[in-house]
């Protein structure tokens, strides 16, 4: 059955499903381990094909490809999570030559930062950062990465605690759109 699965993957250029998953996971072909993930994706496709054929008598191309896509995506996510957990560490505040903290956006947008333990969580954080104002972004990053309290953030930014609480409440309102059910 493995040969049948391999032949099915190769014909009609169905390997594109693996590249589609990698694209959705934001893994670039320039990434050092890209080819390894493609090979893992091929193995996951073969396993998905075998599982699908065991569960279904007929071969419905659309359903099979959807099933394979999900299996490949979750399998590769598991691999990436394991790798990230091994490399995960808490980053100290980044400073420039003057000793002043650099832009926090660079820290969260850095694709090579080893801050990720849970891909989906950090992807959500990245999306939230994109809709924040600069003050809300400062609050989010200082609170999330450095664990500063509202009072500490207010002191660092030279504003009142009420102002920082306002930033926090605005951030909460903007985040609600990510959790609303359609």
């Amino acid at each position: 059955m493995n040969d049948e699965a391999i032949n099915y993957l190769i014909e009609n250029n169905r390997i594109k499903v693996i590249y589609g998953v990698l694209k959705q996971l934001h893994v670039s072909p320039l990434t050092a381990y890209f080819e390894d993930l493609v090979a893992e994706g091929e193995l996951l496709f073969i396993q998905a094909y075998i599982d699908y054929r065991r569960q279904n008598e007929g071969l419905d191309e659309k359903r099979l490809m959807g099933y394979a896509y999900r299996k490949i995506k979750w399998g590769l996510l598991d691999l990436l999570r394991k790798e990230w957990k091994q490399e995960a560490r808490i980053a100290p505040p980044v400073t420039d030559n003057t000793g002043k903290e650099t832009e926090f956006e660079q820290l969260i947008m850095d694709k090579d930062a080893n801050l990720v333990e849970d891909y989906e969580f950090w992807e959500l954080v990245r999306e939230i950062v994109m809709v924040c104002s600069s003050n809300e972004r400062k609050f989010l990053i200082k609170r999330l990465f450095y664990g500063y309290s509202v009072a500490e953030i207010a002191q660092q930014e030279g504003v009142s605690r009420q102002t920082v609480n306002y930033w926090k409440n605005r951030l909460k309102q903007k985040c609600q759109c990510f959790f609303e059910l359609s």
Side-chain angles (χ1 to χ4, degrees), residues 132-148:
C132 293
S133 70
S134 63
N135 290 329
E136 294 161 352
R137 190 174 300 127
K138 287 177 191 177
F139 169 80
L140 176 66
I141 294 172
K142 286 185 177 193
R143 182 76 179 123
L144 184 64
F145 284 97
Y146 306 118
Y148 293 143

Side-chain angles (χ1 to χ4, degrees), residues 36-154:
D36 295 334
L37 291 176
V38 170
E40 289 292 334
E42 290 171 350
L43 294 174
L44 290 166
F45 182 91
I46 291 168
Q47 188 59 47
Y49 180 87
I50 292 169
D51 292 346
Y52 181 85
R53 292 295 293 189
R54 286 185 185 150
Q55 295 172 4
N56 300 293
E57 293 177 19
L59 182 65
D60 181 0
E61 166 108 14
K62 189 173 183 177
R63 290 184 65 196
L64 169 63
M65 294 306 283
Y67 179 77
Y69 184 89
R70 285 189 306 278
K71 287 289 194 179
I72 294 167
K73 178 181 175 184
W74 291 111
L76 292 179
L77 267 176
D78 286 343
L79 284 173
L80 291 171
R81 281 189 190 124
K82 287 176 188 174
E83 183 178 323
W84 289 330
K85 281 185 180 182
Q86 291 173 354
E87 297 175 356
R89 70 177 191 276
I90 297 176
V94 180
T95 57
D96 60 13
N97 299 352
T98 64
K100 182 180 175 189
E101 289 184 7
T102 60
E103 289 297 318
F104 294 105
E105 292 87 350
Q106 292 174 358
L107 180 63
I108 195 152
M109 297 303 173
D110 184 8
K111 296 212 182 253
D112 296 326
N114 293 322
L115 301 170
V116 181
E117 287 185 15
D118 183 354
Y119 176 82
E120 293 170 341
F121 172 77
W122 292 105
E123 185 65 21
L124 177 63
V125 170
R126 188 181 68 76
E127 289 181 27
I128 291 171
V129 166
M130 301 303 272
V131 298
C132 293
S133 70
S134 63
N135 290 329
E136 294 161 352
R137 190 174 300 127
K138 287 177 191 177
F139 169 80
L140 176 66
I141 294 172
K142 286 185 177 193
R143 182 76 179 123
L144 184 64
F145 284 97
Y146 306 118
Y148 293 143
S149 68
V150 170
E152 291 171 321
I153 295 170

